[in-house]
Amino acid sequence: MYGDPGTIRKILTELGDTWAVVGLSNNQDRAAYRVAEVLQRYGKRVIPVHPKAEAVHGEQGYASLEAIPFKVDVVDVFVNSALAGAVADEAVAKGAEAVWFQLNVVDEAAADRTRAAGLDMVMDRCPAIEIPAL
């Protein structure tokens, strides 16, 4: 199941509050920008991960997960499905506790690898939709 309610609740309410948002830039027309705003309103620290490494919403950006010099709890993935598996693998290597693939981002093999590594995993869901419901 892509979005088990128990896993969604655990990621949003029980895990740490540092979220790396892969694909987040200052482009206000992109969903990542708006979702990051919602996550911040709910107390999450949102770290932008984008090749431009721009600061977004008051947080320094990084070009990759690997470049972030501190622990990340959740990796929120706003890249297309073809690229998402590599990001999930980077999240495992980074020591994240969970990976969240946004709406329309699906990679079953990546989800299996991520879960096998002991991380919680959600696919094809949006935390900005889920968190107000909690």
Side-chain angles (χ1 to χ4, degrees), residues 44-93:
K44 307 301 181 191
R45 181 180 182 197
V46 175
I47 309 303
V49 180
H50 190 278
K52 293 180 184 177
E54 305 175 296
V56 184
H57 299 309
E59 288 284 351
Q60 177 180 336
Y62 296 89
S64 67
L65 288 174
E66 182 181 67
I68 300 172
F70 48 83
K71 184 179 184 322
V72 169
D73 302 306
V74 181
V75 176
D76 190 6
V77 182
F78 276 94
V79 300
N80 69 49
S81 297
L83 302 174
V87 176
D89 295 339
E90 290 172 26
V92 170

Side-chain angles (χ1 to χ4, degrees), residues 11 23 28 33 39 45 66 76 94 106-107 110 113:
I11 292 171
Q28 296 181 23
Y33 189 89
L39 289 170
R45 181 180 182 197
E66 182 181 67
D76 190 6
K94 178 73 180 159
V106 175
D107 182 331
R113 289 192 310 273

Side-chain angles (χ1 to χ4, degrees), residues 6-130:
T7 301
I8 289 171
R9 176 174 293 282
K10 179 180 177 186
I11 292 171
L12 292 173
T13 64
E14 297 175 26
L15 297 184
D17 290 331
T18 301
W19 286 53
V21 181
V22 178
L24 175 57
S25 71
N26 276 312
N27 183 343
Q28 296 181 23
D29 295 329
R30 304 286 301 183
Y33 189 89
R34 295 184 304 279
V35 169
E37 283 182 314
V38 172
L39 289 170
Q40 280 187 324
R41 278 200 305 272
Y42 282 88
K44 307 301 181 191
R45 181 180 182 197
V46 175
I47 309 303
V49 180
H50 190 278
K52 293 180 184 177
E54 305 175 296
V56 184
H57 299 309
E59 288 284 351
Q60 177 180 336
Y62 296 89
S64 67
L65 288 174
E66 182 181 67
I68 300 172
F70 48 83
K71 184 179 184 322
V72 169
D73 302 306
V74 181
V75 176
D76 190 6
V77 182
F78 276 94
V79 300
N80 69 49
S81 297
L83 302 174
V87 176
D89 295 339
E90 290 172 26
V92 170
K94 178 73 180 159
E97 296 178 46
V99 175
W100 191 299
F101 283 3
Q102 282 294 323
L103 292 172
N104 301 312
V105 179
V106 175
D107 182 331
E108 299 283 352
D112 290 345
R113 289 192 310 273
T114 302
R115 288 186 187 109
L119 282 70
D120 289 307
M121 176 78 195
V122 171
M123 282 193 301
D124 194 26
R125 295 289 186 276
C126 179
I129 292 170
E130 304 290 343

